[in-house]
Amino acid sequence: MRILVTGGAGFVGSACLRHLLEHGHEAVAYDSLVQGHRAAVPEGRLIEGDINDGDALVRALKDVAAEAVMHFAAATYVGESVTDPDYHYGNNIGGTRSLLNAMRAVGVDRMLFSSTCATYGMNPVIPMAEDAKQDPCSPYARTKLAVEWMIRDFAHAYGLGFTLLRYFNAAGASPDGRYGEDHKPENHLIPLVLQVPLGQREKIMIFGDDYPTPDGTCIRDYIHVDDLAQAHRLAIAATTPSTAEVFNIGTGNGQSVMQVIEACETVTGKAVARQVVERRPGDPPALVADPTKLKSKLGWKPRYTDIRDTVATAWKWHQSHPDGYADR
Ligand code: UDP
């Protein structure tokens, strides 16, 4: 299949792009490189462009002769969404509108959307199936939920097959250590914890230990990025011009912040200094996927089921790339 991957130079988008190429698809990234990295994309597979630039999107869809789109391009920092909601609404909602209209103009009628478990927000039901109540608690998560609805409405009115993928916490790196997570600034837990044994950070700050969880720290479901990529490949193959589907993508096992730190200590063989600080605004106490539907309907089989194996791939990447892709 010929697929345009918006945000295809980002952490998850580029992992999906490479996975698609490895499995014989014709995939090309469309990325502004504001957050993405040229080095994360194989040679000749990148179109530079902004997600709000409708004309450039039309040109890219035509150049690629795209049959489907995977849409990752988005602002993703929860904290930034609180302080600069205009940027998040403009990029995530405005950008998706540009993309949907470009797809209409060119006649591309299949789409995968990179949504998030954060749309479930404060939902107390653990693990979460796709019909769990959505109750987003940050501007970022609200933009993602709004986009889910925009896609449904466009599909209904103009004809479009879509699959919404709500993923939990993407983590890990390619097992050969070549590609991994590189956000600037970094705000994700596993890379930040690993900065301590790398000697780049004195200690990890734990954002609150008074949550209603067994050890008081937040619980998340850390899913290896290659297992996420596998889910995307299976989902796009199952998306026809009349599909309207949604899947959660996670391991089904939650890890607390404390357990993640312990896993990092085990993998690196080094003690990780820590300090408990205030809660971070917008953080739900626990988000864990129920991946039953993904397994039964798409035949998804995760390769990484132990958080230590996921952390080990991240550790290999960060050790060999202490400054990330070092392109900015
Ligand atoms: N977290 C933390 N210290 C940090 C970064 C993250 O305690 O320096 C916590 C955060 O509050 C959340 C979990 O780790 O409960 C995962 O955060 P991350 O930003 O990696 O992903 P999110 O769940 O926000 O998408």
Side-chain angles (χ1 to χ4, degrees), residues 78 169 187-190 192 204-207 218 220 222 257 280 283:
V78 172
N169 289 57
N187 69 346
H188 290 107
L189 182 63
I190 293 174
L192 288 172
I204 183 74
M205 302 300 183
I206 298 173
F207 297 148
C218 286
R220 295 287 181 273
Y222 295 89
V257 173
R280 185 173 68 176
D283 264 341

